[in-house]
Amino acid sequence: MVKVKFLGHAAFLIEGSKKILIDPFLSGNPKAAVKPEEVEVDLILVTHAHGDHIGDAPEIARRSGAKIVAMYDVANYISEQSGGKVETIGMNYGPTEIDDIFIVQVPAWHSSSDGIHSIGNASGFIVKLDGVTIYHAGDTFVFGDMALFNELYGPIDVALLPIGGHFTMGPREAAKAVELLKPRKVVPMHYSTWEPIAQDPEEFKKLVGDKAEVVILQPGESIEL
C-alpha cells in the first residue's frame, strides 16, 4: 500500500517502503497541513526553482538527511544556497533509479527562477514506488506530449495536477491533461492558496467526468493506492 498525502499547495508526501516529499512549501504557506520540523523523509523532489516549490527542502534535508533531487541547475542552486550542507542529486529529463526508487523527470511548461535569474528548467516527476505509479506535474500548462507519459510509464495510478490558472493550467486545461494521461485517479493541486489562483475543484471534477476518478483532498488528507 502507498499513501499519498496532500500537504497544501503543490506539496505531497508519498509513503510506502520509502517516504518521498515533493515541493515542500510549508513555511509561509497559508494552507500547509504540517510544519517543516514535523516531516521525516528519505527523498525530496523539487520540480523547479520558485520559492513556493523549493520551499523548506533545504531545512528538511539538513535535519532528516534526505537527498534532494531536482533539475541539474536547480540542484546546484540549492546546494550553493545551503552552503553545501545538503546532499543534492542533479538530473535532467529522463529516467533514473535512486535508492531503489524509479524516477522519471519529465518536462513542464513553466518558468524556473529565484525571481530574478532563470535557474534550469521546470519539470514534473513520475515516481514508481511499491508497484504504484504517481505523476506530479509540477507547475505546467497542458501539452500533447503528456500522452507519452502514459504510453512509456503507465498506467498512471494517480496524477497530481495544478488547476489554479494564472501560473498553470486551469480546470479546463487540466481536464484535457487527464484525457491525455489516462490516470486511474487524479488529485487537483496548486489552487486557492492565494486569490490569483482561486478555483472551484468541483468544476474540474465536472469537466473530467468519467475519464478518471477525481479525488479532492483538503490539506492533511490522503489517498491510499
Side-chain angles (χ1 to χ4, degrees):
M1 183 191 74
V2 174
K3 180 187 291 186
V4 179
K5 185 175 184 179
F6 182 42
L7 302 182
H9 197 55
F12 286 84
L13 177 63
I14 301 169
E15 298 178 280
S17 57
K18 303 279 188 177
K19 292 185 178 181
I20 305 166
L21 185 62
I22 306 179
D23 285 355
F25 169 52
L26 303 173
S27 299
N29 176 357
K31 299 294 182 75
V34 297
K35 297 176 181 178
E37 58 269 24
E38 296 173 334
V39 181
E40 294 294 338
V41 293
D42 300 298
L43 199 65
I44 301 171
L45 308 182
V46 174
T47 61
H48 62 291
H50 290 154
D52 61 326
H53 293 265
I54 288 180
D56 302 284
E59 176 190 335
I60 295 169
R62 277 196 300 268
R63 179 179 49 76
S64 67
K67 300 169 186 174
I68 299 175
V69 179
M71 177 67 68
Y72 183 83
D73 315 79
V74 177
N76 287 346
Y77 171 78
I78 292 172
S79 179
E80 180 181 336
Q81 292 297 305
S82 67
K85 294 180 180 178
V86 299
E87 182 178 355
T88 60
I89 299 174
M91 61 181 299
N92 215 307
Y93 302 137
T96 191
E97 190 170 295
I98 299 172
D99 296 340
D100 300 321
I101 304 167
F102 181 76
I103 298 169
V104 189
Q105 189 174 71
V106 296
W109 281 14
H110 193 67
S111 59
S112 178
S113 75
D114 60 3
I116 301 174
H117 305 291
S118 294
I119 302 169
N121 296 318
S123 69
F125 286 100
I126 295 170
V127 177
K128 290 181 179 288
L129 180 68
D130 301 342
V132 173
T133 301
I134 300 157
Y135 169 52
H136 187 295
D139 282 4
T140 190
F141 191 71
V142 64
F143 53 98
D145 286 351
M146 284 180 169
L148 291 174
F149 303 164
N150 175 70
E151 180 181 333
L152 288 169
Y153 309 111
I156 296 169
D157 293 293
V158 62
L160 314 174
L161 302 181
I163 67 163
H166 194 82
F167 300 107
T168 68
M169 299 185 286
R172 182 178 179 218
E173 295 81 12
K176 182 63 178 180
V178 171
E179 184 179 321
L180 295 167
L181 292 160
K182 298 180 172 62
R184 289 176 48 229
K185 299 177 186 287
V186 57
V187 176
M189 66 171 182
H190 205 283
Y191 69 94
S192 297
T193 314
W194 304 286
E195 183 58 34
I197 58 172
Q199 295 287 351
D200 179 2
E202 293 293 343
E203 178 189 350
F204 170 63
K205 186 173 184 177
K206 186 183 301 182
L207 289 168
V208 171
D210 62 0
K211 295 183 183 72
E213 179 187 350
V214 176
V215 182
I216 299 170
L217 297 178
Q218 297 302 314
E221 294 182 340
S222 61
I223 59 171
E224 295 181 351
L225 303 163

